[in-house]
Amino acid sequence: MPTPRLNPLDLFDVRSALTDEERMVQDSVARLVDEKVLPIIQRCFEEHRFPKELVPELAALGLLGSSIHGYECAGLNSIAYGLICQQLERGDSGIRSFVSVQSSLCMYPIYAFGSEEQKQRYLPRMARGELIGCFGLTEPHGGSDPANMKTHAKRRGKDWVLNGSKMWITNGSIAGLAVVWAMTEEGIRGFLVERGTPGFAAPEIERKFSLRASVTAALFFDNVIVPEENVLPEALGLKGPLSCLTQARYGIAWGVIGAAQACLAQLLDYTAERVLFGRTLAHNQAVQIRLAEMARQITSAQLLALQLGRLKEAGVMTPAQVSLAKWNNCRMALDIARDARDLLGGAGISAEYVPIRHMLNLESVITYEGTETIHQLTIGRELTGVNAF
């Protein structure tokens, strides 16, 4: 009896290491992507349009703030959140970015650093998708050095006066709530700024060639009055925003695997059918070697993400471990998307195939939430004890 072939997208059977609940999450999000995301996402990318109609679908499955306990959130574990990101990014990085920002960069800091009143006021509405959030940290003069923050807030009586600007903000122009980090006399603080507050503007950034199915904006603050009750009471210093980035980078490390899997899956179908010089491309040794290399990289990334998730669940995950996973897995996915585009030949630049879209998206994903160089230097510091930033 012939030995059954392995799953080409899961050569080490990572799925068997998941719990029943984790597999259920994986399957339900996969169905959502297949039925709701994939039929429309290429057109959204071409039209430079975020599909807001998907937000209720994402909320109904409990994908917004999925790791938070209480406040109408699902309370799933870290591996389940990783699988959510992986399946969503199989659809498009822009959809995963939306969920990542809503969950890890907006709901998480309110949950971790907010008052009980702030949690009750915002988290249930965000879980239901009724209130969209954005995260204001990166500034126009440079995103890799957040300590050099120019946006500032000064006390005025019981209120704060916020001035400055932020750049490359996912969800910015559609968000009803901005989690904004600003320098104060006490250090960096987090402020909750609601849309419509006088002096606050969030114009969309257009003419992007990456993440076109995602909203990206600039944020401007011109003497914006923020009441004391909208300041995150437990966040002081860079530790607050950096801990949010750690949560988001964790999801990215899982998410980009989905983009790589989407590229490989389509390429396997193409090479099995495309005939060149009297035989399919799959019969060509050079093609098989390149496909095998993609599978090797995806498998390594899957095992890295799974162990990272276990460390996170055990409460021992470190930011350096997240940096290594984000760096490794983003580089893996981008390299695979580029090579898949090349193996498709002239068809590789066509919207009929997914690698060019994933490739363009991943050019942003490898940059945001810490560039590749930043993560390399993080690991270098961990190895040597020397800060070379």
Side-chain angles (χ1 to χ4, degrees), residues 132-153:
I132 294 173
C134 68
F135 177 84
L137 178 64
T138 299
E139 298 191 343
H141 60 275
S144 295
D145 185 14
N148 186 27
M149 189 176 293
K150 307 300 183 189
T151 300
H152 61 273

Side-chain angles (χ1 to χ4, degrees), residues 308-386:
L308 187 69
R310 288 172 172 158
L311 293 171
K312 193 173 191 300
E313 276 299 291
V316 297
M317 182 186 79
T318 69
Q321 290 168 330
V322 180
S323 281
L324 181 60
K326 199 268 184 181
W327 163 27
N328 181 83
N329 291 7
C330 285
R331 172 52 55 189
M332 170 278 300
L334 182 55
D335 286 348
I336 285 176
R338 287 172 173 171
D339 201 34
R341 200 281 316 151
D342 180 66
L343 275 168
L344 288 168
I349 65 168
S350 169
E352 182 182 352
Y353 296 94
V354 302
I356 188 69
R357 174 166 55 82
H358 284 297
M359 185 188 82
L360 290 168
N361 284 337
L362 289 165
E363 293 286 357
S364 291
V365 178
I366 202 171
T367 297
Y368 69 31
E369 316 292 356
T371 66
E372 188 171 66
T373 302
I374 290 295
H375 294 303
Q376 289 170 326
L377 292 175
T378 298
I379 299 304
R381 180 178 60 191
E382 196 71 23
L383 296 175
T384 65
V386 177

Side-chain angles (χ1 to χ4, degrees), residues 37-258:
V37 177
L38 293 179
I40 66 171
I41 198 63
Q42 182 60 45
R43 180 61 62 86
C44 290
F45 188 91
E46 293 172 12
E47 296 175 351
H48 202 231
R49 182 182 74 86
F50 171 67
K52 288 184 69 174
E53 64 270 25
L54 292 178
V55 174
E57 305 277 357
L58 298 168
L61 270 186
L63 306 188
L64 305 181
S66 61
S67 298
I68 291 174
H69 292 268
Y71 308 100
E72 300 185 26
C73 297
L76 300 175
N77 69 17
S78 300
I79 290 175
Y81 175 60
L83 292 165
I84 289 169
C85 292
Q86 183 175 310
Q87 288 301 320
L88 291 177
E89 197 142 0
R90 180 173 65 86
D92 191 84
S93 299
I95 306 302
R96 197 268 310 143
S97 291
F98 170 81
V99 171
S100 178
V101 168
Q102 182 83 344
S103 302
S104 297
L105 296 183
C106 295
M107 297 177 72
Y108 169 78
I110 295 172
Y111 181 69
F113 308 119
S115 66
E116 184 60 31
E117 191 276 334
Q118 289 168 346
K119 296 174 191 178
Q120 295 287 354
R121 189 192 335 166
Y122 295 119
L123 291 179
R125 285 193 291 150
M126 297 180 84
R128 295 193 297 267
E130 297 170 1
L131 179 66
I132 294 173
C134 68
F135 177 84
L137 178 64
T138 299
E139 298 191 343
H141 60 275
S144 295
D145 185 14
N148 186 27
M149 189 176 293
K150 307 300 183 189
T151 300
H152 61 273
K154 296 183 178 180
R155 287 186 183 272
R156 192 175 72 183
K158 294 183 178 180
D159 298 327
W160 293 78
V161 182
L162 182 64
N163 283 281
S165 62
K166 303 292 182 178
M167 192 68 172
W168 307 116
I169 308 303
T170 298
N171 298 349
S173 61
I174 61 172
L177 181 71
V179 180
V180 181
W181 302 93
M183 187 65 73
T184 74
E185 292 182 353
E186 306 161 1
I188 293 173
R189 301 290 303 268
F191 297 85
L192 304 178
V193 183
E194 298 187 5
R195 182 169 57 189
T197 303
F200 173 38
E204 186 170 355
I205 297 171
E206 300 179 345
R207 304 178 69 183
K208 296 182 302 179
F209 286 84
S210 179
L211 293 176
R212 290 175 59 83
S214 174
V215 169
T216 310
L219 306 181
F220 296 104
F221 309 96
D222 182 10
N223 291 318
V224 174
I225 305 300
V226 182
E228 179 67 31
E229 59 264 27
N230 277 34
V231 180
L232 295 173
E234 302 300 324
L236 178 62
L238 264 180
K239 183 178 179 181
L242 293 184
S243 69
C244 301
L245 292 177
T246 296
Q247 302 296 319
R249 289 163 179 164
Y250 169 81
I252 291 169
W254 281 86
V256 293
I257 297 169

Side-chain angles (χ1 to χ4, degrees), residues 9-12 14 253 257 292-308 324-325 328-329 332 336:
L9 303 181
D10 187 12
L11 290 181
F12 267 43
V14 169
I257 297 169
E293 174 64 14
M294 293 181 191
R296 179 188 69 82
Q297 292 188 48
I298 288 173
T299 301
S300 298
Q302 287 174 307
L303 295 173
L304 191 65
L306 182 64
Q307 175 62 6
L308 187 69
L324 181 60
N328 181 83
N329 291 7
M332 170 278 300
I336 285 176

